[in-house]
Amino acid sequence: MIKVGPMKLYVRTFGCQMNVHDSNRIVEMMQGEGYQSTTDVKEADLVVINTCSIREKAHHKGISEIGRLCKRVKRNKPDCVMVVAGCVSEQEGARIFKLAPQVDLVVGPDQIAQLPRWVRDARQDGRIAMTGFDRGTRADFLSTADRATPRGVSEFLTVSKGCEERCTYCIVPSVRGPERFRHPDDIIEEAVLLTENGVQELVLLGQKVNAYHYDGLTFAGLLERLDQLPGLQRLRFTSPHPRHMSPSLIESFGRLRTLCESIHLPVQSGADGTLARMGRRYTAGDYREVIGGLRRACPEILISTDLIVGFPGETEAEFEQTIGLLEEVRFCGAFSFKFSPRPGTAAANLPDDVTEADKARRLEIVHNVIERVEREIRHDLVGKRFEVLVTGSGRNAGQLTGRARNNQIINFQPAKGATLNQAPGSLHQVEVTGVMPHSLEGIPVADEAQSG
Ligand code: SF4
């Protein structure tokens, strides 16, 4: 059937910021091939499901969505090309054709850069499975070169990919491959392109982002170079590993103009025994030292984390040590999960000896502690003033919303008749007046700082 008008692309993304970044690049690449994005899958001529397999639940969610979408789309449009991308693709490869016979193309994370070609080949020759890791050459890093694409206020910028840390519970090394670091000139070039196109905030991406090094340039050195960029207002990064929080990186907080006063630093457990079985290669004491250093360098910094409860062998005493660390460090938020064995990981061979009931009870205790401390921290922010980078309209009519440098979401009502720029990307001074379940309320004050 002859297609009239532009081909339509539908992208469904699961999982982490790396996948969100990859999906953004997929849209850009396929727009270059003449596709137009659609949010209506029924319209699509090309469907990409970008999957995650970090936990069992995410893996199953992706597989069921693949099955559901394939049936729905192919029933009405047999010519539509169904693509499965992301970590489940790398893990399962051509087995996906058995799980979902209507899939046409399986593309691992490192094969996305060639997606336009694979889609053409799949349209012509039928099913293809492209997995495997690249060598991390300069051309192998997905980057945006597209000045035309309208940008948000904040954009992701990849600095490395893959990981060789081998935490015993983690599937990332086997689905994202070995560690490869991007040439700093390419990172700077993309940062310049993005900031010249209105991007105010860059979020540096890497599975173990602070392990970055290139020809003697360290991660702290890379931050220093990016901090010089005139158009850049804010710099953040994800996901760091406590073992790579060097003294020079720690002291960058509070010193660099653009480096924001917030960090998400996964701890996973507060017990040395559990950390050792997880293969994290630091102790709870090491972690506390890093936190101490960050708070000396930048007293107003807000810290969030990741936690796993019910890891094989986790005793009640070890769990209590985790709770002790939460009470002491006082995180402003956390992603916390029950341990689930991932195929091919070392921990999958350990006896999963913590009962489901104990895992659920421990997770609830962690949630309660985190929520209480988070509430207390946010109540302490009432009366304080923050620079808010507007990202859009707020919860109520006429309200603006945005993020403070400490990553708190703040909604505020611009002063009546205010002439100040209120567009996304504008900066406003806001005094916090109230605490909502997942955000803060405020009033604009002395709106000297305005840009955009
Ligand atoms: S540092 Fe550990 S948890 Fe993080 S991606 Fe690497 S192996 Fe996984």
Side-chain angles (χ1 to χ4, degrees):
M1 184 179 69
I2 306 301
K3 165 84 185 171
V4 182
M7 302 276 259
K8 295 288 175 89
L9 164 68
Y10 174 89
V11 178
R12 179 91 169 76
T13 306
F14 292 89
C16 65
Q17 288 130 327
M18 279 69 169
N19 266 10
V20 174
H21 170 271
D22 291 354
S23 291
N24 293 346
R25 296 291 87 77
I26 287 171
V27 169
E28 267 173 35
M29 276 190 291
M30 299 320 287
Q31 279 171 346
E33 295 279 300
Y35 286 81
Q36 269 182 6
S37 277
T38 177
T39 53
D40 178 356
V41 72
K42 292 198 295 305
E43 284 188 347
D45 304 288
L46 174 62
V47 171
V48 177
I49 305 158
N50 199 357
T51 58
C52 168
S53 63
I54 196 77
R55 268 171 288 281
E56 201 169 355
K57 201 164 159 212
H59 184 100
H60 290 312
K61 220 168 144 191
I63 296 286
S64 61
E65 182 70 354
I66 293 165
R68 192 184 68 78
L69 276 180
C70 280
K71 282 202 195 75
R72 192 159 155 226
V73 171
K74 288 283 190 178
R75 192 184 310 130
N76 310 321
K77 267 188 155 178
D79 298 345
C80 177
V81 172
M82 301 299 295
V83 181
V84 177
C87 296
V88 174
S89 302
E90 194 61 44
Q91 192 182 341
E92 302 289 346
R95 277 197 302 276
I96 287 185
F97 296 136
K98 288 205 182 66
L99 294 166
Q102 291 153 316
V103 169
D104 302 293
L105 176 57
V106 171
V107 179
D110 274 13
Q111 303 298 327
I112 288 175
Q114 310 297 323
L115 187 65
R117 174 181 156 199
W118 307 137
V119 168
R120 285 194 298 273
D121 293 356
R123 268 195 203 289
Q124 216 165 296
D125 317 325
R127 284 182 172 166
I128 303 176
M130 298 307 300
T131 56
F133 306 124
D134 60 45
R135 289 176 299 109
T137 66
R138 296 176 76 163
D140 287 327
F141 280 90
L142 280 180
S143 79
T144 182
D146 176 0
R147 289 183 179 278
T149 300
R151 302 277 161 207
V153 167
S154 179
E155 285 278 347
F156 296 125
L157 179 55
T158 298
V159 302
S160 68
K161 56 179 163 181
C163 184
E164 288 165 15
E165 194 67 19
R166 300 251 163 250
C167 303
T168 59
Y169 54 84
C170 185
I171 201 168
V172 169
S174 59
V175 291
R176 289 272 173 172
E179 233 154 52
R180 287 144 292 164
F181 302 113
R182 196 173 172 202
H183 194 292
D185 294 353
D186 298 342
I187 296 170
I188 301 292
E189 187 186 329
E190 188 176 354
V192 169
L193 181 149
L194 291 170
T195 50
E196 284 177 353
N197 273 275
V199 173
Q200 308 264 343
E201 175 180 277
L202 291 174
V203 182
L204 306 184
L205 284 185
Q207 305 291 353
K208 204 175 63 176
V209 70
N210 56 343
Y212 177 90
H213 58 85
Y214 202 105
D215 287 350
L217 179 72
T218 63
F219 187 60
L222 177 65
L223 294 180
E224 191 94 34
R225 283 185 63 180
L226 288 162
D227 188 61
Q228 315 301 320
L229 293 182
L232 186 65
Q233 291 292 340
R234 292 180 175 189
L235 198 49
R236 302 181 191 276
F237 55 81
T238 188
S239 187
H241 190 287
R243 221 164 59 78
H244 296 278
M245 290 300 295
S246 63
S248 58
L249 175 55
I250 289 174
E251 71 77 43
S252 304
F253 285 91
R255 183 175 61 80
L256 296 183
R257 171 184 66 86
T258 59
L259 188 56
C260 290
E261 296 76 24
S262 73
I263 186 171
H264 183 80
L265 190 62
V267 66
Q268 305 299 5
S269 170
D272 291 353
T274 310
L275 289 169
R277 292 192 301 281
M278 287 176 167
R280 293 291 284 171
R281 299 202 273 172
Y282 56 83
T283 65
D286 299 334
Y287 189 87
R288 286 184 172 91
E289 242 176 73
V290 168
I291 298 297
L294 285 167
R295 289 193 166 139
R296 282 189 297 278
C298 181
E300 70 276 27
I301 195 167
L302 290 187
I303 302 169
S304 57
T305 196
D306 291 346
L307 291 156
I308 297 174
V309 297
F311 190 79
E314 185 186 62
T315 61
E316 270 311 316
E318 287 181 338
F319 176 64
E320 285 311 319
Q321 288 170 344
T322 296
I323 297 301
L325 182 129
L326 299 186
E327 296 285 7
E328 186 192 322
V329 172
R330 294 180 60 73
F331 294 105
C332 69
F335 298 112
S336 35
F337 304 93
K338 291 184 276 186
F339 169 72
S340 72
R342 303 306 297 128
T345 61
N349 305 324
L350 297 174
D352 190 2
D353 53 6
V354 179
T355 65
E356 202 43 44
D358 277 342
K359 284 180 185 173
R361 177 180 54 77
R362 290 175 187 176
L363 189 62
E364 193 184 344
I365 294 170
V366 163
H367 282 164
N368 294 342
V369 172
I370 292 287
E371 275 164 27
R372 169 175 46 78
V373 171
E374 191 181 351
R375 232 183 357 264
E376 290 164 2
I377 287 172
R378 289 202 290 122
H379 274 283
D380 292 345
L381 301 178
V382 173
K384 295 198 173 135
R385 294 183 172 196
F386 296 98
E387 175 204 74
V388 174
L389 176 62
V390 171
T391 51
S393 315
R395 292 168 337 105
N396 305 329
Q399 255 193 347
L400 296 176
T401 190
R403 281 187 187 270
R405 290 172 60 98
N406 62 13
N407 217 22
Q408 292 291 309
I409 296 171
I410 303 184
N411 298 289
F412 65 101
Q413 193 83 33
K416 283 222 168 355
T419 54
L420 293 176
N421 172 0
Q422 295 169 6
S426 59
L427 289 164
H428 298 256
Q429 297 298 324
V430 176
E431 179 171 318
V432 175
T433 55
V435 176
M436 308 306 284
H438 302 295
S439 63
L440 301 168
E441 294 285 304
I443 51 168
V445 288
D447 239 337
E448 321 84 24
Q450 176 187 1
S451 75

